[in-house]
Amino acid sequence: EIMLTQSPGTLSLSPGERATLSCRASQSVSSYLAWYQQKPGQAPRLLIYDTSNRATGIPDRFSGSGSGTDFTLTISRLEPEDFAVYYCQHYGSSRTFGQGTKVEI
Amino acid sequence: EVQLLESGGGLVQPGGSLRLSCAASGFTFSNYAMAWVRQTPGKGLEWVSAITGSGGDTYLADSVKGRFTISRDNSKKTLYLQMSSLRAEDTAVYYCAKGSTMSRPYYFDSWGQGTLVTVSS
């Protein structure tokens, strides 16, 4: 089973700053990598699919990149509503999630 | 608008059974794979089970194999998860999630609000 490791565990930033979240796979996942955002008490929401495609309605301050085993979610300028937990997920040969990165103020 | 509404959660004793349901609307249900994903309180996400659009193929995580069964009724636009031999470690919020296509590979483009399952004596 492919394992996904996210770093850092917690990212402490201020509104307006840039956030860079990492997701590393134990073996190549091709481009089958998605990112989800989850706020307290809410269900996860799809942000990015196929490594770099924004889901419907997702602002362009969110971007995804990477290939093979190393992937990045970047939030160019943090808005107050962006403080949340972010998960990466591989959906090719397995359906594993990373353990999450909390972006806090 | 896609809507997924889970039901059936609750308190159950260890070794007991429970059936979760997920009523879908806003899309052609039979055209998409569906899945259950759970989240232990305060922890991360764990994929539990998935089923293709036709219902012909099903998949289970190793942690629930032999205990859980996924199924769907396309005429009723409803997804099910039959859980038996429940353990304390099955305690979690269970989310119903819509796949992006009928079969693999697919990401989850819509999620329900979740239903809490608590396994405790």
Side-chain angles (χ1 to χ4, degrees), chain B residues 89-107:
Chain B
E89 54 264 35
D90 296 319
T91 294
V93 174
Y94 285 73
Y95 293 103
C96 167
K98 172 185 169 290
S100 53
T101 60
M102 183 179 292
S103 59
R104 297 181 71 179
Y106 51 82
Y107 47 88

Side-chain angles (χ1 to χ4, degrees), chain B:
Chain B
E1 179 193 4
V2 172
Q3 291 196 343
L4 301 170
L5 184 61
E6 302 96 336
S7 61
L11 175 63
V12 60
Q13 292 188 339
S17 298
L18 211 55
R19 188 176 84 156
L20 305 183
S21 299
C22 171
S25 62
F27 63 102
T28 304
F29 186 66
S30 59
N31 284 358
Y32 296 92
M34 297 293 295
W36 292 97
V37 177
R38 69 185 180 185
Q39 185 168 38
T40 307
K43 296 289 180 62
L45 301 168
E46 179 190 15
W47 169 78
V48 173
S49 186
I51 186 168
T52 53
S54 66
D57 292 294
T58 61
Y59 308 89
L60 291 166
D62 288 344
S63 58
V64 304
K65 260 178 197 170
R67 301 187 299 122
F68 289 13
T69 303
I70 189 171
S71 62
R72 65 192 294 161
D73 185 332
N74 285 346
S75 67
K76 294 183 178 179
K77 299 181 181 179
T78 302
L79 174 72
Y80 303 100
L81 185 67
Q82 179 67 48
M83 305 185 293
S84 60
S85 302
L86 282 161
R87 307 166 180 166
E89 54 264 35
D90 296 319
T91 294
V93 174
Y94 285 73
Y95 293 103
C96 167
K98 172 185 169 290
S100 53
T101 60
M102 183 179 292
S103 59
R104 297 181 71 179
Y106 51 82
Y107 47 88
F108 301 129
D109 58 12
S110 295
W111 299 64
Q113 281 306 300
T115 187
L116 176 62
V117 172
T118 302
V119 183
S120 175
S121 55

Side-chain angles (χ1 to χ4, degrees), chain A residues 26-91:
Chain A
S26 57
Q27 57 185 281
S28 177
V29 299
S30 185
S31 63
Y32 299 133
L33 198 286
W35 291 92
Y36 302 87
Q37 176 194 66
Q38 187 178 34
K39 297 179 182 179
Q42 296 185 17
R45 176 175 73 144
L46 176 69
L47 294 177
I48 300 287
Y49 63 93
D50 291 350
T51 298
S52 60
N53 294 298
R54 275 188 300 276
T56 302
I58 302 303
D60 60 9
R61 64 179 180 272
F62 291 91
S63 63
S65 63
S67 64
T69 60
D70 290 305
F71 298 85
T72 300
L73 174 70
T74 300
I75 311 171
S76 59
R77 289 178 54 88
L78 283 163
E79 297 287 340
E81 62 267 28
D82 299 337
F83 291 91
V85 180
Y86 293 84
Y87 296 94
C88 59
Q89 185 216 4
H90 168 53
Y91 52 93

